């Protein structure tokens, strides 16, 4: 059974998932690389394993991630999770700055994203202070609302999420290719890390409806959502505003991926498999960690 778990761990590796996707896409060169999320550094290693060429790269990862070796042209920013802090705001500004400095190129910008990106890279909209932005996150995390509702509010109070980073890249006439590891049910691109590089179909009005149900939600944030609902602020990037030839988004794995891979491995051993309809949440990275804990037991 342990050899099965070891095989499953290899399949769950963010580096392996990225390496397989890039080989399949036959991508050998990109205009630049942005990686953000709890698996950002490991996903970047997957890109390096195939010899992907990039002139510059920005990686935003949790502060406790172990960086075992230096990679040329790679800038790593340590950030905070699950609540945004000063490092998160610096990371959000760094993404905007990185996009502004990318050279003109026919090669795509490669974005690698995973769970945790919402807090690791944050940038409040104009009129919302960093302290108020952190208070918004705290209110949302303790609200009991669904991750989809939480992200709807976060995106409309961010200068990065809800496709605003993608809008900046498209304004530079860059094409964007995103490889993502999902930790949310449904695996919608706009829900993974609150979708900085994905268009988003909801509105300020929907964000306001969710926020007004949360006791003690910061008043300044409500004011901004009301302004947006009245049309006095720019909406998030909508799907019909994105030229498909300039945007490619691929979800490499989601919460159900562990079950699917485990079932396939068992079937290869001629075992009878039945997957029970469980409400499974969490990312493949989390489940990989749990398997490692199990394997380390005597």
């Amino acid at each position: 059974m342990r050899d099965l778990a070891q095989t499953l761990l290899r399949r769950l590796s963010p580096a392996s998932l990225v390496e397989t996707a890039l080989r399949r896409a036959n991508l050998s060169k990109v205009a630049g690389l942005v990686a953000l999320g709890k698996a950002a550094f490991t996903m970047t290693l997957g890109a390096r394993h195939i010899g992907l060429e990039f002139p510059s790269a920005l990686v935003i990862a949790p502060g406790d991630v172990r960086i075992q070796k230096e990679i040329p042209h790679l800038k790593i920013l340590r950030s905070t999770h699950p609540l945004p802090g000063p490092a998160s705001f610096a990371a959000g500004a760094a993404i905007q700055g990185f996009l502004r400095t990318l050279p003109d190129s026919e090669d795509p910008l490669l974005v690698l994203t995973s769970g945790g990106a919402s807090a690791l890279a944050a940038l409040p909209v104009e009129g919302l202070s960093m302290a108020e932005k952190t208070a918004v996150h705290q209110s949302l995390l303790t609200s009991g609302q669904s991750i989809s509702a939480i992200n709807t509010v976060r995106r409309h109070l961010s200068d990065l999420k809800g496709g605003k980073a993608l809008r900046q890249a498209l304004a530079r006439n860059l094409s964007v290719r995103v490889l993502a590891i999902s930790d949310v049910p449904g695996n919608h691109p706009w829900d993974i890390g609150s979708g900085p590089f994905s268009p988003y179909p909801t509105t300020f009005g929907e964000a306001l409806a969710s926020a007004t149900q949360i006791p003690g939600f910061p008043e300044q944030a409500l004011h901004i959502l009301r302004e947006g609902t009245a049309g006095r602020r720019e909406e998030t990037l909508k799907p019909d505003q994105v030229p498909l030839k300039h945007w490619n988004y691929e979800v490499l794995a989601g919460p159900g991926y562990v079950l699917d891979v485990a079932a396939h491995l068992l079937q290869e051993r001629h075992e009878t498999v039945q997957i029970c309809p469980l409400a499974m949440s969490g990312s493949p990275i989390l489940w990989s960690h749990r398997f490692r804990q199990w394997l380390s037991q005597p």
Side-chain angles (χ1 to χ4, degrees), residues 131-175:
E132 289 165 337
K133 178 73 170 175
T134 301
V136 165
H137 275 254
Q138 183 68 65
S139 296
L140 290 170
L141 289 176
T142 58
S143 68
Q145 295 199 13
S146 69
I147 187 64
S148 180
I150 287 172
N151 279 341
T152 296
V153 178
R154 279 199 289 213
R155 274 180 284 260
H156 285 88
L157 293 171
S158 172
D159 217 15
L160 187 71
K161 301 175 176 68
K164 292 182 180 177
L166 176 59
R167 177 182 278 150
Q168 184 181 350
L170 294 176
R172 296 280 318 280
N173 204 33
L174 288 168
S175 62

Side-chain angles (χ1 to χ4, degrees), residues 208 232 242 289:
L208 180 62
R232 294 195 293 272
V242 179
H289 176 65

Side-chain angles (χ1 to χ4, degrees), residues 28-256:
S28 61
K29 186 179 179 183
V30 296
L33 185 150
V34 174
L36 61 160
K38 287 180 280 188
F41 182 71
T42 311
M43 294 177 79
T44 302
L45 290 181
R48 290 291 297 172
H49 286 168
I50 67 163
L52 183 71
E53 294 182 22
F54 47 81
S56 58
L58 176 65
V59 177
I60 298 167
D64 58 355
V65 168
R66 293 171 58 190
I67 308 299
Q68 298 174 337
K69 61 180 179 179
E70 296 295 324
I71 298 177
H73 313 299
L74 182 66
K75 180 179 181 180
I76 300 174
L77 296 181
R78 307 293 192 127
S79 192
T80 54
H81 181 273
L83 287 176
S88 308
F89 304 125
I95 291 176
Q96 288 189 331
F98 182 82
L99 295 176
R100 283 194 296 268
T101 59
L102 284 175
D104 294 337
S105 176
E106 295 183 357
D107 298 311
L109 166 68
L110 179 62
V111 178
L112 308 175
T113 187
S114 61
S118 293
L120 291 170
L123 202 61
V125 295
E126 184 179 356
L128 193 68
S129 70
M130 292 184 180
E132 289 165 337
K133 178 73 170 175
T134 301
V136 165
H137 275 254
Q138 183 68 65
S139 296
L140 290 170
L141 289 176
T142 58
S143 68
Q145 295 199 13
S146 69
I147 187 64
S148 180
I150 287 172
N151 279 341
T152 296
V153 178
R154 279 199 289 213
R155 274 180 284 260
H156 285 88
L157 293 171
S158 172
D159 217 15
L160 187 71
K161 301 175 176 68
K164 292 182 180 177
L166 176 59
R167 177 182 278 150
Q168 184 181 350
L170 294 176
R172 296 280 318 280
N173 204 33
L174 288 168
S175 62
V176 178
R177 186 180 191 94
V178 186
L179 301 180
I181 296 177
S182 170
D183 62 346
V184 291
N187 302 329
H188 299 301
W190 51 80
D191 278 332
I192 303 170
S194 295
F197 289 92
S198 168
Y200 186 50
T202 69
T203 64
F204 270 109
E206 290 169 273
L208 180 62
S210 293
T212 51
Q213 297 176 25
I214 302 174
F217 195 79
E219 182 56 39
Q220 177 61 15
L222 288 174
H223 173 71
I224 289 171
L225 294 177
R226 293 189 188 103
E227 285 188 331
T229 301
R232 294 195 293 272
R233 287 181 177 260
E234 187 176 32
E235 262 291 358
T236 53
L237 185 67
K238 303 308 177 194
D240 61 0
Q241 297 174 324
V242 179
L244 294 181
K245 66 178 181 178
H246 288 298
W247 183 68
N248 183 287
Y249 199 108
E250 182 178 356
V251 179
L252 305 181

Side-chain angles (χ1 to χ4, degrees), residues 264-273:
H264 179 72
L265 292 174
L266 287 168
Q267 288 167 348
E268 287 182 343
R269 298 180 176 211
H270 306 291
E271 299 283 354
T272 300
V273 178

